[in-house]
């Protein structure tokens, strides 16, 4: 028996066989169900609206409308405020990943990830957390930030944050979760969570993924820092 409220997953990939494989995997999990499959970004946006998916597993490269623009449209739609996007890509060095995170994606995975890890990622993102692998994310941001012309993220940077909030943002950017942030700074988990929520509000960030980008782009955290 499935739970009363399984995670409603929408699969968006232009390769039919890939979608079919992911669908079989997702349907094998007791706490998930596939509510739609899209072969283009436009279809993904339409199905996200019509099927009320909780999470979209989104490929970056698709015809008509790519996964980045589809993610941006989903993130900008107030009626889809609860829909999370998990980006799938062929390589963790894909520079488009950063664009997808800026557009509103909550994290990314490479397509050759283990089945159990994909299911775990869906649960993590659906629960409201970001899925950021510190190593690949740090390398990716470092390379893109070295480009001469860099589009700015919607998050405004750390201006206006208190010293404590800057400390919290620094730790979030290094991949720590709320519990780890609390332990590092001698705070309660609830206090750490409150700080993160306030930082997101101040910076206009959709989730922790955009906090990471804001921290790197503002120079609060430097690529390669431990």
């Amino acid at each position: 028996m499935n739970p009363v409220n399984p995670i409603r997953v929408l699969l968006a990939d232009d390769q039919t066989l890939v979608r079919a494989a992911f669908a079989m995997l997702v349907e094998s999990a007791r706490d998930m169900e596939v509510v739609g499959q899209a072969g283009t970004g436009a279809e993904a946006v339409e199905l996200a609206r019509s099927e009320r998916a909780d999470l979209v597993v989104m490929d970056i490269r698709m015809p008509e409308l790519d996964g980045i623009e589809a993610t941006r449209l989903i993130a900008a739609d107030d009626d889809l405020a609860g829909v999370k996007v998990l980006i799938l890509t062929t390589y963790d060095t894909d520079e488009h990943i950063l664009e997808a995170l800026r557009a509103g994606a909550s994290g990314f995975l490479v397509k050759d990830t283990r089945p159990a890890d994909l299911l775990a990622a869906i649960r993590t993102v659906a629960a409201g957390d970001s899925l950021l692998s510190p190593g690949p994310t740090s390398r990716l941001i470092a390379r893109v930030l070295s480009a001469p012309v860099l589009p700015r993220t919607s998050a405004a940077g750390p201006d206006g944050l208190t010293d404590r909030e800057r400390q919290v943002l620094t730790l979030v950017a290094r991949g720590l979760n709320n519990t780890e942030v609390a332990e590092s700074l001698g705070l309660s988990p609830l206090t750490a969570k409150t700080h993160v929520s306030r930082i997101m509000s101040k910076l206009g960030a959709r989730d922790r993924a955009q906090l990471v980008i804001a921290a790197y782009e503002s120079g609060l955290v430097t690529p390669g820092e431990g």
Side-chain angles (χ1 to χ4, degrees):
M1 295 291 291
N2 283 338
V4 175
N5 296 307
I7 301 169
R8 297 172 58 80
V9 180
L10 169 63
L11 302 173
D13 194 296
D14 63 341
Q15 299 182 49
T16 303
L17 289 178
V18 171
R19 292 201 310 272
F22 284 155
M24 290 179 61
L25 175 62
V26 171
E27 289 288 359
S28 73
R30 293 168 55 86
D31 58 340
M32 303 177 194
E33 65 176 342
V34 176
V35 296
Q37 297 186 38
T40 70
E43 288 178 1
V45 176
E46 180 180 346
L47 287 173
R49 290 171 176 156
S50 64
E51 301 301 327
R52 313 308 300 176
D54 296 315
L55 179 142
V56 182
V57 178
M58 183 86 74
D59 187 27
I60 287 182
R61 293 176 175 82
M62 289 187 291
E64 294 183 23
L65 189 71
D66 64 29
I68 295 171
E69 187 58 30
T71 297
R72 185 174 289 111
L73 291 175
I74 290 172
D77 190 331
D78 290 340
D79 291 337
L80 299 178
V83 180
K84 307 295 182 181
V85 177
L86 176 62
I87 291 290
L88 281 178
T89 184
T90 306
Y91 305 104
D92 66 16
T93 55
D94 188 339
E95 294 182 4
H96 293 296
I97 294 172
L98 186 57
E99 295 178 55
L101 294 176
R102 283 201 185 101
S106 293
F108 70 90
L109 281 178
V110 291
K111 283 188 176 181
D112 63 355
T113 190
R114 296 184 306 171
D117 290 340
L118 175 59
L119 295 180
I122 290 173
R123 295 184 182 104
T124 295
V125 173
D129 293 324
S130 295
L131 188 77
L132 298 170
S133 177
T137 303
S138 190
R139 292 194 301 271
L140 178 64
I141 292 176
R143 186 174 63 258
V144 176
L145 288 182
S146 68
V149 178
L150 176 69
R152 301 295 293 180
T153 179
S154 59
D159 291 344
L161 299 185
T162 66
D163 289 342
R164 175 62 85 188
E165 288 168 345
R166 287 171 181 265
Q167 291 175 330
V168 171
L169 178 56
T170 298
L171 296 176
V172 169
R174 291 174 180 164
L176 275 65
N177 60 33
N178 288 349
T179 300
E180 293 167 337
V181 169
E183 292 175 351
S184 179
L185 297 178
L187 306 173
S188 71
L190 179 58
T191 299
K193 181 178 180 181
T194 299
H195 278 308
V196 172
S197 296
R198 287 176 178 169
I199 295 168
M200 289 174 61
S201 178
K202 287 185 177 182
L203 301 187
R206 178 182 171 93
D207 56 22
R208 296 172 77 97
Q210 292 195 334
L211 290 185
V212 173
I213 295 170
Y216 276 95
E217 288 193 327
S218 67
L220 182 65
V221 176
T222 302
E225 283 185 331

